[in-house]
Structure formats: structure tokens, C-alpha cells
């Protein structure tokens, strides 16, 4: 069973804790995914809503975009400006609904393993680099905050999928 091991919003810049949590999620989500029926994974809860498979596809897109952000922010001019991406369009053009189930979960896992690998190697002074998220109204944040926010965003979607 998934347990949120102490990583809370108050500790929103504790990258080692966030990466430890992400490592646990990688194992937990695969277990949940594999014990969920194909019918449940591919069924949309309502017209115009994503299926669990498509939500996981959205999390793949999030991983791809955030991996690029986490690397680019290390050498870009500060504050690094976060550019949003077309979420609905990416889910559609990547055809996540048609991907074989094992392909989908493996893709999600491998991207997140790479995020852990990259994030754990970022030096502490670089984690303090400034980023400017377009989607956040609090203004300038840090790379550490962005990395931790990525994990919180993922947990939000996994709760909606009843995987947490």
C-alpha cells in the first residue's frame, strides 16, 4: 500500500525527499497499473474525459517536458521561464489510448527513473536557480521547487486515478 512518507507541501523544496517519493511511486504505480483491468484502464469516466491510460500518457508528457526543464534550467538565463505545453493535443497525437499496456507503464517508469538520476546529481547551488512558472501565481520559484512540484502534480493525477 502507498504511504506518503513525510513529504509535505511545507517541505516543497526537499529534492532528495521528493526523489525518494518518486522512486516509491514508480514501484507502487506499476503494481496498481498491472492489477487494474484493461477495460478499467481504457474506459473514460465521461465523454471528453481521459481514461486512466490517457492520464498516464499525460504523466508521460509531463515527465518529458519536465526532464527538459530540469536540464535546461541548469544552464539557461535566470529566471528560467517555464513554457506550458499543449496537454490535450499531446495526449491525442501520442495515441496513448492505443499503446500496449506494458509499453505505457514502461515508458512512464523509465522517464521517471531518468528524472531521479538527473535531479539527484544537481548541485545544491544550482537547485537554488530561479525559475518563473507561467502557471504559478507566486512569481519566481527555484529549480528545487519545480522538481518537487512535479512530484506533487503527479500525485494529484494518481489520486484522481485511485492509484493512491
Amino acid at each position: 500500500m502507498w504511504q506518503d512518507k513525510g513529504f509535505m507541501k511545507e517541505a516543497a523544496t526537499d529534492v532528495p525527499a521528493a526523489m525518494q517519493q518518486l522512486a516509491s511511486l514508480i514501484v507502487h504505480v506499476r503494481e496498481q497499473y498491472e492489477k487494474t483491468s484493461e477495460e478499467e484502464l481504457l474506459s473514460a469516466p465521461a465523454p471528453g474525459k481521459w481514461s486512466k491510460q490517457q492520464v498516464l500518457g499525460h504523466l508521460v508528457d509531463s515527465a518529458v517536458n519536465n526532464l527538459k526543464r530540469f536540464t535546461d534550467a541548469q544552464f539557461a538565463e535566470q529566471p528560467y521561464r517555464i513554457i506550458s505545453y499543449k496537454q490535450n493535443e499531446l495526449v491525442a497525437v501520442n495515441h496513448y489510448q492505443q499503446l500496449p499496456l506494458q509499453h505505457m507503464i514502461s515508458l512512464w517508469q523509465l522517464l521517471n527513473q531518468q528524472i531521479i538520476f538527473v535531479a539527484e546529481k544537481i548541485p545544491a547551488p544550482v537547485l537554488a536557480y530561479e525559475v518563473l512558472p507561467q502557471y504559478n501565481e507566486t512569481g519566481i520559484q527555484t529549480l528545487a521547487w519545480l522538481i518537487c512540484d512535479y512530484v506533487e502534480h503527479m500525485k494529484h493525477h494518481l489520486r484522481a486515478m485511485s492509484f493512491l
Side-chain angles (χ1 to χ4, degrees):
M1 167 152 252
W2 166 255
Q3 292 183 353
D4 203 341
K5 297 180 181 165
F7 183 74
M8 299 168 37
K9 286 274 186 189
E10 293 82 19
T13 59
D14 187 345
V15 173
M19 293 304 95
Q20 186 174 39
Q21 193 168 74
L22 183 54
S24 294
L25 283 169
I26 289 170
V27 173
H28 175 77
V29 170
R30 180 167 205 123
E31 290 170 355
Q32 293 300 306
Y33 189 82
E34 289 179 342
K35 72 181 190 182
T36 303
S37 73
E38 185 172 345
E39 180 182 345
E40 184 179 343
L41 288 171
L42 297 176
S43 296
K49 297 288 185 184
W50 288 337
S51 68
K52 290 181 180 185
Q53 176 92 346
Q54 289 169 312
V55 172
L56 195 63
H58 165 65
L59 293 177
V60 165
D61 294 334
S62 177
V64 167
N65 280 276
N66 279 288
L67 179 58
K68 181 159 178 38
R69 292 169 178 167
F70 302 159
T71 55
D72 287 354
Q74 294 183 57
F75 54 83
E77 183 178 324
Q78 290 183 48
Y80 174 72
R81 293 187 176 277
I82 305 299
I83 306 300
S84 59
Y85 56 95
K86 305 241 183 232
Q87 299 175 20
N88 291 324
E89 291 85 345
L90 285 175
V91 168
V93 301
N94 280 296
H95 304 282
Y96 292 125
Q97 188 73 354
Q98 289 78 42
L99 273 185
L101 302 181
Q102 286 304 310
H103 179 117
M104 174 63 80
I105 193 65
S106 295
L107 179 60
W108 177 83
Q109 279 189 297
L110 288 169
L111 284 165
N112 282 290
Q113 287 169 343
Q114 182 64 18
I115 285 172
I116 292 169
F117 183 78
V118 167
E120 289 181 340
K121 302 230 179 292
I122 300 173
V126 176
L127 288 171
Y129 283 8
E130 293 181 337
V131 299
L132 183 57
Q134 291 181 336
Y135 55 85
N136 183 284
E137 297 173 4
T138 62
I140 292 178
Q141 296 290 342
T142 64
L143 179 54
W145 175 88
L146 183 64
I147 292 167
C148 295
D149 186 61
Y150 168 75
V151 176
E152 289 301 312
H153 167 258
M154 178 185 300
K155 288 169 35 184
H156 162 78
H157 285 291
L158 294 173
R159 280 187 204 99
M161 294 168 67
S162 301
F163 278 19
L164 291 184

